Amino acid sequence: MTLDPSRRGFLASAAAAAAVLYVGVRPNGALAAGAAPAQLNPFVKISADGTVTAIVKHFEKGQGPATGLTTLIAEELGVSMEDIRYEFAPSDAARYANLAFGQMQGTGGSTAMANSFMQYRQAGAAAREMLIKAAAEAWGADAAGLSLEDGIITGAGQSAPIAEFVAAAARMEAPAEPRLKDPSAFRLIGNPQVKRKDSLPKTNGTAKFAMDLHLPGQMVAVILRSPRMGGLASGFDDTGAKAVKGYIRAAVLPNQAGVAVYAENTWAAFQAREAITVDWDVSNAEHRSSDQIREELLAAVNAEPEFNVTGADHAATTEQIAGAAQVVEQTFYFPLLAHAPMEPLTCTIEADADGGVTLHDGCQFPSGPHMALAQIFQLPMDKVRINTMFAGGSFGRRATPTADYQVEAALAFALTDRTRPVKLVWSREDDITGGYYRPAVAHRVRVGLDAEGNIAGWDHRIAAQSILKGTAFESMMVHGGVDHSSVEGVADTPYRIPGQFTGLTDVAKATSVLWWRSVGHTHTAYVMEVMMDEAARAAGRDPVEFRLALLEGGGADQQRLAGVLKLAAEKGGWGSAPEGRSQGIAVHKSFGSYVAELVEISGSAGDGVKIEKVTCAVDCGIAVNPDVVKAQMEGGIGYGLGHAMRNQITLTEGVVDQSNFPDYEPLRIGDIGAIEVHIVPSAEMPTGVGEPGTPPAAPALANAIAADGPRVTELPMALNGVSFA
Amino acid sequence: MAISLNLNGQTHQVEAEPGTPLLWVIRDELKLTGTKFGCGVAACGACTVHLDGAPVRSCQTYVEDAEGAEITTIEGLDSKVSKAVQDAWVELDVVQCGYCQSGQIMSAVGLLSENARPTVEEIDDYMDGNACRCATYQRIRAAIQRASEMMEA
Ligand code: FES
Ligand code: FES
């Protein structure tokens, strides 16, 4: 998914009847003026009193767009961060599409800043030019002599707040090509002092998440699902539930995926659900255990691959390895993983007065549930509304190609008389057992080294459960049978590896699988970076030097990867670990960003490893909000390390073995001693930060452990020979 | 049964079945939603409130057992310690998604009320039960240290 630069230029503005200035993109992408605001796609709204509001088209799950996109508007318009507000955009793909996704509105692939950077700056710049022009006309002055800073227009011996010119500016044509600030003049973009816009409400309990919604008259619905994944409900007995105060009723969902249990409040719904028994038809349900799934994947990765991903000459690679001085070989296995965002899944649906419906949701991918709801309720698209609220984390889970939980809520709502809003609530048990996992994956890699310790051939085979096949994203991300998300990070590595072959075999899905923070890179980075260390060790070379040699003489891609590797090595004191400590390093490119991480540990695999420090270097182009970038690296590192240390989802005859945090133990505060993040200064276009911090973390830890202990090739580490202090 | 709760300095009469977790009375009946539901089994700390000044997991506290106690939620924090903690949280931009942060703050206030100058080990020990899936732990640790400084000033 890349950004189409030809779409950056589309910008329009129009007059607003009520002296509100909206600047944005017209649905057709063309410039025009005079249209009513309702026909526009406003990114910036200025009301008559001069209050500036950025309309944020990406949902906020903590990754920072409410701050980042608002910064872009504030920078170009000329207002301070304190004087600008933000709102989340309504669901309207024609206006708020993610430019990386075509005509779909949604957040994912770490694209929020990358696809918005020019669009939001242009909207801010256009608003500035219009306000200045209005002031120039009012003052009979030359616009060129006026400036706008901190919400005040100054020049020609005059000075006035923008509020005075909103009405006049709203009647103007938008400039076709508003002039953007030169980066040297940035005051907010790249400024590490810029604060998050959402800190205060998230610190005093006032931030409203979807879980916090209480609509008048609402019912709470929970779903009783088959313990065996994919079982279908054929009937139920709710005699026991009738004793629960607040229980309303239960009904089999139209798709039989479960029984909806309705109650007056959340606790009553949970209690009633416990007391209901269901007849499950499990004839088509998952019946395998995870051991079997593992065996299937390992068998597949040891057989001839189904797909030759890059069209490389496999026979030649085989020959190069056969003739090598030594061969390094490893087989890897990665288990299913749950996302477990802190806020369990929830959303509320209510009927609108005009016959439409509104979905209240921490909505990651509005276009998906929007279409699904229109279909379920047989409504035109404009009768389905989405109110996007704060989301308590996602890590990919809130964007499913099936809009799974929103569809559940819609079906549960459709079964009622629709007079009362229905709030769907998932418990943590629903979340951990509910499928949509990071797929299980196996890799097998054989690396041939010549007598000088240089790579002669690299045979890399992956067996995976495809995330994208059979979804609406198949046409975009699956080519020639190859699901790109299964091989990203291997097939497109910036390393210049001689004789590299990448093979892929698809294995039947166990349950539903889904992207999980950094998608394919969750496993490909691990394998690539562990194998780099193994090869360097076999060659008797320093792991950093070995990697740099594979990047030498390359283009920008190689130079940027080498840049972060060197920076992390330098800042983390590579090669000079204090007594009793071991170091490991890994570097990986994902979502357009380059990240290296150096992990320093104490202790040992037998007595308990303690992660003392992680030093991270990131090159994400222009870091719009450096502190948000740092926070995303810190969080991405924690997410990567915590799961690699101790998490897995396993099945016993189709039933998930884990159920809640006690057996899907989250990373805890004491697990990582310190994290230090260094940002490479850059003038390149901004790239993603939500995911790229995750991939290098686990392999860097694995390499630190292997420096003086076992080589872990199967995750999680805690179940494969490593104890943690 | 009718239960009288003293919450954030006010008395509330609520109707609840015995055995109902305090969490759900606070959230669904009193509509104070700053206290969060994360796991329901005392494993995440998102539901942390204070009973007579000490942090407890409200998902594991029966409402009838809270009768007679002074209950404080994030909305009712009002002390020198809590102000320092909340100010430090904002100063260091601790939050990401924010969903765990009410619970983190309630625990941090509990810690600093008992121990105004905790060591890193003491912080890690005390905060161990508060999970943050966004892994904001580095900043939580730093903000507790910062709040400790602010309290001395
Ligand atoms: S909700 Fe109470 S500890 Fe998790
Ligand atoms: S800030 Fe998201 S769980 Fe802590």
Side-chain angles (χ1 to χ4, degrees):
Chain A
M1 290 184 212
T2 49
L3 188 59
D4 175 1
S6 67
R7 305 196 49 169
R8 286 187 203 141
F10 72 155
L11 183 68
S13 155
V20 177
L21 176 61
Y22 285 89
V23 179
V25 182
R26 292 291 296 279
N28 60 7
L31 266 179
Q39 295 176 331
L40 283 174
N41 164 20
F43 295 122
V44 50
K45 182 170 81 178
I46 308 178
S47 56
D49 68 357
T51 306
V52 181
T53 306
I55 313 293
V56 175
K57 67 176 184 174
H58 291 286
F59 90 136
E60 176 66 79
K61 60 184 166 197
Q63 84 285 30
T67 306
L69 303 197
T70 304
T71 303
L72 302 178
I73 299 286
E75 177 75 79
E76 293 289 351
L77 177 55
V79 295
S80 73
M81 283 300 281
E82 290 71 39
D83 289 332
I84 184 167
R85 305 175 181 191
Y86 68 91
E87 286 171 15
F88 295 114
S91 173
D92 184 347
R95 297 162 188 195
Y96 295 110
N98 183 327
L99 303 185
F101 294 171
Q103 275 303 73
M104 281 196 275
Q105 182 179 349
T107 303
S110 298
T111 56
M113 181 53 75
N115 96 94
S116 307
F117 186 64
M118 295 305 285
Q119 195 177 40
Y120 275 68
R121 286 178 63 201
Q122 284 174 330
R128 183 192 64 226
E129 285 189 13
M130 293 160 79
L131 289 162
I132 285 184
K133 195 169 161 212
E137 279 171 16
W139 296 340
D142 181 0
L146 306 185
S147 65
L148 200 176
E149 256 174 56
D150 290 335
I152 310 283
I153 298 177
T154 314
Q158 311 237 35
S159 175
I162 54 175
E164 291 187 15
F165 310 105
V166 171
R171 287 189 292 271
M172 282 177 188
E173 297 245 338
E177 291 287 335
R179 229 186 71 214
L180 299 179
K181 269 192 185 174
D182 186 83
S184 63
F186 286 161
R187 303 196 317 171
L188 302 173
I189 294 174
N191 182 344
Q193 307 305 332
V194 167
K195 307 290 292 172
R196 285 187 77 102
K197 292 295 283 180
D198 54 353
S199 266
L200 192 62
K202 289 178 175 179
T203 301
N204 61 22
T206 56
K208 289 288 177 228
F209 296 82
M211 190 64 93
D212 300 334
L213 193 69
H214 281 105
L215 293 176
Q218 79 178 19
M219 292 189 273
V220 171
V222 298
I223 310 293
L224 180 44
R225 299 176 190 80
S226 169
R228 188 173 279 194
M229 309 235 37
L232 297 177
S234 48
F236 64 88
D237 176 359
D238 69 343
T239 314
K242 288 176 178 150
V244 175
K245 195 158 171 249
Y247 170 64
I248 300 172
R249 69 184 184 103
V252 175
L253 290 177
N255 60 6
Q256 290 182 276
V259 174
V261 180
Y262 304 85
E264 296 295 341
N265 59 59
T266 321
W267 180 243
F270 286 161
Q271 293 288 97
R273 178 167 66 169
E274 294 279 307
I276 294 174
T277 52
V278 179
D279 304 318
W280 296 110
D281 172 358
V282 292
S283 46
N284 288 314
E286 176 64 69
H287 58 276
R288 290 176 297 173
S289 295
S290 32
D291 285 349
Q292 269 169 281
I293 293 164
R294 179 175 172 278
E295 291 311 316
E296 286 174 28
L297 282 159
L298 290 175
V301 86
N302 279 300
E304 265 313 293
E306 189 180 355
F307 305 105
N308 178 338
V309 175
T310 58
D313 184 345
H314 195 188
T317 297
T318 308
E319 219 167 277
Q320 281 149 355
I321 294 173
Q326 55 173 327
V327 177
V328 186
E329 178 167 358
Q330 289 287 6
T331 302
F332 297 82
Y333 181 73
F334 301 87
L336 297 168
L337 290 174
H339 305 71
M342 199 72 214
E343 178 193 26
L345 299 179
T346 180
C347 64
T348 301
I349 297 187
E350 67 172 323
D352 295 331
D354 66 354
V357 294
T358 295
L359 168 72
H360 304 269
D361 183 19
C363 198
Q364 177 160 4
F365 214 100
S367 294
H370 197 145
M371 285 187 270
L373 265 55
Q375 203 172 31
I376 289 168
F377 296 114
Q378 293 291 300
L379 286 169
M381 290 291 277
D382 63 356
K383 287 272 169 61
V384 175
R385 288 116 192 161
I386 298 180
N387 169 32
T388 295
M389 306 178 72
F390 279 127
S394 171
F395 316 115
R397 181 60 186 88
R398 292 181 202 275
T400 57
T402 52
D404 69 310
Y405 69 95
Q406 295 99 340
V407 165
E408 270 184 355
L411 295 177
F413 182 69
L415 288 174
T416 68
D417 66 6
R418 307 184 189 184
T419 56
R420 301 178 66 178
V422 170
K423 176 179 183 178
L424 173 82
V425 176
W426 282 44
S427 65
R428 179 60 59 197
E429 288 81 5
D430 293 332
D431 174 58
I432 299 292
T433 61
Y436 292 94
Y437 301 126
R438 192 285 299 273
V441 186
H443 288 237
R444 183 181 152 232
V445 188
R446 301 184 75 227
V447 180
L449 295 168
D450 66 19
E452 280 77 53
N454 294 314
I455 294 173
W458 183 294
D459 185 333
H460 198 137
R461 302 169 188 204
I462 301 169
Q465 305 165 323
S466 166
I467 295 171
L468 296 158
K469 284 188 178 175
T471 74
F473 299 89
E474 182 161 347
S475 62
M476 218 194 281
M477 296 288 285
V478 179
H479 299 113
V482 174
D483 180 339
H484 179 70
S485 76
S486 298
V487 298
E488 58 186 1
V490 173
D492 54 358
T493 178
Y495 286 125
R496 308 206 303 172
I497 299 173
Q500 188 189 2
F501 167 80
T502 311
L504 171 68
T505 302
D506 278 345
V507 174
K509 299 184 195 196
T511 84
S512 42
V513 294
L514 185 65
W515 38 65
W516 183 101
R517 196 173 193 169
S518 82
V519 201
H521 301 282
T522 58
H523 50 93
T524 58
Y526 191 90
V527 175
M528 290 300 291
E529 288 304 290
V530 162
M531 289 310 295
M532 280 296 161
D533 254 47
E534 289 282 282
R537 186 196 300 213
R541 290 165 61 181
D542 174 76
V544 171
E545 178 273 319
F546 186 81
R547 286 172 171 84
L548 290 174
L550 291 169
L551 297 167
E552 229 165 68
D557 215 22
Q558 285 73 25
Q559 284 165 19
R560 293 177 75 181
L561 199 70
V564 292
L565 180 59
K566 285 189 233 170
L567 186 60
E570 178 207 321
K571 298 286 186 186
W574 176 250
S576 53
E579 183 63 26
R581 300 218 177 156
S582 304
Q583 296 176 324
I585 201 162
V587 62
H588 195 74
K589 177 192 181 185
S590 63
F591 308 96
S593 294
Y594 305 78
V595 182
E597 286 159 15
L598 190 163
V599 170
E600 196 167 289
I601 59 169
S602 61
S604 68
D607 297 335
V609 166
K610 162 87 184 154
I611 301 170
E612 300 287 351
K613 188 176 171 192
V614 183
T615 307
C616 168
V618 52
D619 177 350
C620 57
I622 295 170
V624 173
N625 301 125
D627 197 52
V628 170
V629 172
K630 286 187 178 179
Q632 284 308 296
M633 292 303 123
E634 292 162 10
I637 288 165
Y639 202 71
L641 291 178
H643 291 88
M645 286 162 72
R646 51 182 173 241
N647 295 137
Q648 64 172 349
I649 291 290
T650 56
L651 307 177
T652 302
E653 293 179 7
V655 178
V656 177
D657 298 318
Q658 294 72 24
S659 67
N660 199 320
F661 287 140
D663 49 17
Y664 196 77
E665 174 65 19
L667 182 86
R668 299 284 177 176
I669 190 168
D671 284 325
I672 302 175
I675 300 177
E676 198 179 285
V677 179
H678 301 274
I679 301 173
V680 174
S682 173
E684 300 291 328
M685 288 289 283
T687 47
V689 297
E691 296 168 277
T694 298
L701 173 60
N703 291 341
I705 292 169
D708 193 25
R711 170 55 76 190
V712 187
T713 56
E714 187 156 345
L715 297 181
M717 293 173 174
L719 295 172
N720 290 282
V722 180
S723 67
F724 288 95
Chain B
M1 66 192 267
I3 294 172
S4 167
L5 293 180
N6 179 351
L7 190 134
N8 297 339
Q10 283 185 321
T11 307
H12 299 264
Q13 303 299 328
V14 296
E15 261 301 310
E17 293 300 292
T20 303
L22 178 60
L23 168 69
W24 294 112
V25 175
I26 292 172
R27 286 185 56 84
D28 281 1
E29 302 307 315
L30 302 176
K31 312 267 193 290
L32 287 172
T33 55
T35 305
K36 302 300 189 201
F37 163 58
C39 71
V41 299
C44 78
C47 65
T48 305
V49 301
H50 292 179
L51 279 200
D52 294 327
V56 298
R57 308 296 185 227
S58 65
C59 70
Q60 295 298 308
T61 305
Y62 293 148
V63 62
E64 63 270 26
D65 293 343
E67 212 170 9
E70 284 202 23
I71 309 163
T72 309
T73 67
I74 184 89
E75 291 90 347
L77 283 181
D78 181 21
S79 69
K80 190 177 166 202
V81 177
S82 67
K83 177 153 179 17
V85 168
Q86 287 173 309
D87 286 352
W89 242 250
V90 171
E91 183 181 309
L92 299 186
D93 270 348
V94 171
V95 307
Q96 288 187 29
C97 84
Y99 194 79
C100 73
Q101 299 293 348
S102 296
Q104 305 283 0
I105 287 168
M106 296 309 286
S107 290
V109 172
L111 166 61
L112 290 172
S113 303
E114 278 173 33
N115 176 359
R117 299 188 57 187
T119 63
V120 167
E121 290 69 33
E122 286 168 336
I123 293 172
D124 285 3
D125 250 20
Y126 197 95
M127 301 297 293
D128 185 60
N130 283 87
C132 174
R133 295 293 293 163
C134 300
T136 62
Y137 297 123
Q138 307 304 312
R139 292 179 190 228
I140 289 171
R141 204 186 277 137
I144 290 174
Q145 290 169 316
R146 176 76 185 111
S148 166
E149 271 171 38
M150 287 167 152
M151 281 157 56
E152 278 179 20

